[in-house]
Amino acid sequence: MSLLEIRGLCKYFSGVHAVSNVELTVEQDSIHGLIGPNGSGKTTLFNCLTGIYPLTAGEISFDGKSISGFPTHHLAQLGLARTFQNLRLFPAMSALENVLVGLHIHQRTGIWGAIFQSAHVKSEIADFLKRGQELLEYCGLGGREDEIASSLPYGLQRRLEIARALAVKPRLLLLDEPAAGMNPAETTELKGLITRIRESGITVLLIEHNVKLVLGLCDRVTVMDSGSVIADDIPERIAHDPRVIEAYLGKEAA
Amino acid sequence: MVLLIVGLISVPFIGWWKALLLGLFGAIYIWATETEHKKPRLISTLMLGRTTLLNRIRQYPSFHFSFLPYVVFALFVLIPFVFNRYQTEIITLAYIYVTLAIGLNYIVGLCGMLALGYIAFYAIGAYTYALLNTQFGVNLFVALPISMVTGGLAGVLVSLPALRLRGDYLAIVTLGFGEIVRIVLNNWDSLTAGPNGIMGIARPSLFGVKMGTPLGYYLLAGGLAALAMFVQNRLAKSRTGRAWEAIREDQLAAAHSGIPVFRMKLLAMALGAAWAGAAGAIFASRQTHISPESFTFLESVLVLCMVVLGGMGSVWGPAIGALGLIIIPELLRGVELYRMLAFGLLMVWMMQFRRGGLIPSMRLKTSSRVA
């Protein structure tokens, strides 16, 4: 069953066709790769999906329901979380606080509850501190909860962003170049993390330039070039698709 | 606590200063003789090296924070007795500004929105009480919540269009709002009596007890400031406060975490404006006469300075900033000519070397388990 369906999605920036007529289906419980040269519209597509950009045309449905035009925070509440190509952590907050922000929508305490702090509220606070720490541990950040996000090493900042996205309890996780700037060892760990995330029942849509990582990890890969989808297939066939090789390496190589 | 009571009882017999000294010695005595590792604490502390001692203080932040509230409370109670009437009134005014600074801290410090016309909400609160009292004879304690509501409503009203903007643009719109309010107050003669202002505002009484004395105002303004700080402290550490800080740090990422950014900003504005409204009501009753010239743009800037210098986002910071910016200029009256110069230099120095403010906001620590 398909979790996310994109039909005829177009996004034009006054004449620039950043994304035109994209069709994309992400199956439940799969890892779906999205690759393409720089400027091919991958991140724009993500931004359309999470409600940052209004669509020029097209239709997005999530779990069978249309979500076109929903505000970003509403989409997160429906179970759509993401990370960013250029990290967007809350730099002055600690690692744990970053994750707690992700857990915001699952907490119930309102302002009166916070002011009067009944036993119920206190237990919720303790409960969520524990959940935050568990999530950090899950993403390999155990023991670093009190460190300020901006002072963490780059690889850990990347993983902290994933932890924060997981805190939202998404059904679909959008990862925008999670391995960018990582060394081979860090990339291998990341691969393990993404596999575990899928096993826990979260569908992953992954933008990545590291072709080896994408081909080794994904169940299905969509290739974009200049705003359009040029191929959509299983990884084995994508690697040998002449259109894909042409988009990446030029006509002669194909 | 026992000490405080004993101290207070002994006051009439031995006088203030001696009672204070007695209390101080008593406190040191109790602290020093309490056993730790089976030795009196004084001995065990003296046996520690300098580095271990410093480490100890660092390791246990609760060490100095645990009795800080008592010290602050004791000071709060003692001030009106130790200082003369003039000095007490200055401190009362400072408390009103503490409430204002705490209110603005919701908007600027926690939520990261640069709002410049903040004093307009103070004005609205003040005029609400002034009009309710002079027209309908409403008691201050009844009018106080009403002033909070009108202040908060004004906050929501200006927010609805203004919160779609960010940074400099928001600052300009709120600045404009502040000026609009002042000019309306200045020109709506039939309601606000224009530049003459409203006179003869009643001083408060509670169950027949007249509160209009300097001591009454001292307690009233101080109580309001303390309540504002208490509420903000609780909120800032809660899920709500964290959401505000997330918006301040990265609005887009906050929205992607499911935080309704617009609604949270609106809440910060409404709360900040409501506290300003309450402070305004107390100000109006204390002055008994208010006019638009009390609510100029410079006042907005002053409150903003309190928040920025004190420490945006922390609760003690803006409070200390407000006390400092009201009391220090009074202390410097002798060198009035150089006052603004010193003030300017301090601002430049702060922004260069201590950008987080005097008391920067503390991060959540898992060890202390506060949230």
Side-chain angles (χ1 to χ4, degrees):
Chain A
M1 187 211 142
S2 58
L3 182 63
L4 181 76
E5 262 184 80
I6 301 173
R7 292 281 159 261
L9 192 143
C10 300
K11 177 65 200 172
Y12 304 154
F13 294 101
S14 51
V16 179
H17 292 201
V19 172
S20 52
N21 208 22
V22 163
E23 308 268 329
L24 180 73
T25 305
V26 179
E27 295 300 320
Q28 178 94 42
D29 296 324
S30 68
I31 299 180
H32 195 115
L34 185 60
I35 62 172
N38 285 325
S40 59
K42 305 181 299 289
T43 299
T44 308
L45 182 67
F46 265 27
N47 287 343
C48 291
L49 277 178
T50 58
I52 300 180
Y53 297 148
L55 310 180
T56 309
E59 183 66 33
I60 304 169
S61 60
F62 181 66
D63 198 20
K65 287 186 290 270
S66 169
I67 56 164
S68 322
F70 278 32
T72 305
H73 66 91
H74 194 171
L75 291 170
Q77 287 161 8
L78 285 177
L80 197 69
R82 80 175 278 188
T83 66
F84 297 87
Q85 187 175 357
N86 313 100
L87 286 166
R88 299 195 82 129
L89 290 167
F90 306 119
M93 296 164 91
S94 73
L96 181 63
E97 285 175 305
N98 267 275
V99 176
L100 286 170
V101 172
L103 286 166
H104 179 89
I105 54 173
H106 302 296
Q107 287 167 276
R108 285 286 151 264
T109 308
I111 58 172
W112 295 111
I115 292 168
F116 294 110
Q117 294 219 342
S118 63
H120 175 71
V121 169
K122 278 184 187 152
S123 79
E124 186 189 89
I125 288 169
D127 183 36
F128 274 87
L129 277 176
K130 212 172 114 235
R131 275 168 75 170
Q133 276 171 317
E134 282 166 4
L135 269 165
L136 286 173
E137 239 150 72
Y138 182 76
C139 294
L141 283 143
R144 310 193 80 139
E145 9 335 60
D146 291 345
E147 274 180 59
I148 300 300
S150 58
S151 69
L152 284 169
Y154 180 77
L156 291 186
Q157 291 195 19
R158 282 253 170 232
R159 278 200 258 158
L160 177 57
E161 214 186 19
I162 296 176
R164 185 181 67 193
L166 286 178
V168 176
K169 270 203 220 153
R171 303 186 56 199
L172 175 65
L173 178 63
L174 310 173
L175 297 174
D176 196 346
E177 296 195 29
M182 281 191 172
N183 62 35
E186 286 172 326
T187 308
T188 311
E189 279 181 55
L190 179 76
K191 198 175 161 183
L193 177 62
I194 296 175
T195 313
R196 270 184 286 145
I197 290 171
R198 186 254 295 267
E199 279 160 10
S200 73
I202 296 167
T203 311
V204 178
L205 178 57
L206 173 76
I207 294 180
E208 190 47 68
H209 274 307
N210 186 334
V211 175
K212 219 176 98 194
L213 179 74
V214 171
L215 296 183
L217 199 58
C218 298
D219 304 307
R220 200 172 179 87
V221 178
T222 302
V223 188
M224 285 181 76
D225 188 28
S226 326
S228 313
V229 173
I230 57 167
D232 184 354
D233 214 329
I234 55 169
E236 291 76 24
R237 275 197 288 253
I238 287 290
H240 302 105
D241 192 318
R243 286 167 303 176
V244 178
I245 298 169
E246 189 192 315
Y248 264 95
L249 301 172
K251 225 179 180 97
E252 276 114 79
Chain B
M1 213 55 231
V2 178
L3 266 176
L4 197 71
I5 295 162
V6 172
L8 283 177
I9 292 170
S10 63
V11 168
F13 306 106
I14 54 177
W16 276 106
W17 285 109
K18 281 180 191 162
L20 201 61
L21 274 177
L22 193 73
L24 208 61
F25 277 121
I28 291 172
Y29 178 77
I30 288 174
W31 177 79
T33 52
E34 202 169 285
T35 52
E36 187 181 64
H37 308 306
K38 292 182 180 160
K39 291 192 196 92
R41 193 188 265 156
L42 181 67
I43 310 289
S44 72
T45 306
L46 285 177
M47 275 163 62
L48 296 169
R50 186 170 154 273
T51 11
T52 9
L53 194 68
L54 280 179
N55 276 338
R56 237 176 174 215
I57 294 173
R58 278 196 206 106
Q59 267 171 14
Y60 297 101
S62 53
F63 172 79
H64 49 274
F65 283 113
S66 62
F67 61 82
L68 192 65
Y70 299 106
V71 174
V72 171
F73 181 73
L75 278 176
F76 175 72
V77 174
L78 285 179
I79 280 171
F81 300 102
V82 175
F83 293 105
N84 65 31
R85 186 185 162 147
Y86 166 72
Q87 287 162 332
T88 306
E89 287 203 356
I90 295 295
I91 295 169
T92 305
L93 184 69
Y95 287 152
I96 293 179
Y97 278 91
V98 169
T99 311
L100 281 173
I102 291 289
L104 187 61
N105 196 32
Y106 283 110
I107 302 167
V108 176
L110 288 167
C111 210
M113 300 182 285
L114 182 53
L116 285 178
Y118 184 63
I119 217 71
F121 306 125
Y122 184 51
I124 287 167
Y127 270 86
T128 302
Y129 173 60
L131 288 171
L132 280 176
N133 183 264
T134 52
Q135 305 292 317
F136 307 104
V138 178
N139 186 301
L140 175 65
F141 296 95
V142 179
L144 201 60
I146 301 176
S147 283
M148 283 184 97
V149 170
T150 52
L153 277 180
V156 171
L157 214 64
V158 65
S159 296
L160 287 175
L163 285 190
R164 295 173 200 286
L165 307 168
R166 278 199 240 178
D168 304 348
Y169 303 102
L170 177 65
I172 292 166
V173 170
T174 49
L175 169 71
F177 171 75
E179 286 303 286
I180 288 169
V181 168
R182 191 178 58 82
I183 291 165
V184 166
L185 293 177
N186 223 348
N187 291 287
W188 194 352
D189 288 343
S190 57
L191 185 73
T192 66
N196 294 330
I198 298 175
M199 273 172 278
I201 304 162
R203 305 205 140 194
S205 62
L206 189 60
F207 306 119
V209 182
K210 288 254 181 288
M211 297 277 289
T213 59
L215 182 63
Y217 275 111
Y218 176 85
L219 293 175
L220 202 59
L224 186 73
L227 182 68
M229 286 175 71
F230 172 79
V231 168
Q232 183 162 75
N233 191 34
R234 284 277 168 93
L235 280 182
K237 285 177 184 166
S238 77
R239 150 180 186 260
T240 314
R242 206 154 39 229
W244 283 327
E245 286 188 294
I247 291 168
R248 180 189 69 197
E249 296 285 305
D250 191 323
Q251 184 171 328
L252 198 66
H256 277 95
S257 301
I259 292 170
V261 172
F262 187 79
R263 213 184 322 148
M264 292 307 287
K265 282 181 163 182
L266 204 62
L267 181 65
M269 269 307 234
L271 274 175
W275 284 110
I282 296 209
F283 175 76
S285 93
R286 178 170 174 268
Q287 300 299 105
T288 66
H289 166 221
I290 52 166
S291 66
E293 70 190 63
S294 305
F295 309 105
T296 58
F297 173 58
L298 270 177
E299 292 289 311
S300 288
V301 174
L302 182 66
V303 180
L304 188 65
C305 285
M306 291 166 179
V307 176
V308 173
L309 287 182
M312 285 186 277
S314 83
V315 177
W316 287 102
I320 301 288
L323 288 173
L325 284 191
I326 298 296
I327 294 169
I328 292 172
E330 291 299 324
L331 295 179
L332 295 180
R333 274 212 185 278
V335 283
E336 202 153 3
L337 278 176
Y338 302 98
R339 200 157 74 163
M340 289 320 280
L341 189 67
F343 184 54
L345 278 174
L346 179 73
M347 292 282 267
V348 174
W349 180 82
M350 290 284 293
M351 286 301 104
Q352 276 286 324
F353 297 106
R354 212 177 156 84
R355 226 163 292 170
L358 211 56
I359 303 177
S361 71
M362 283 200 302
R363 301 316 325 159
L364 171 80
K365 286 268 183 285
T366 38
S367 51
S368 62
R369 290 270 170 182
V370 284

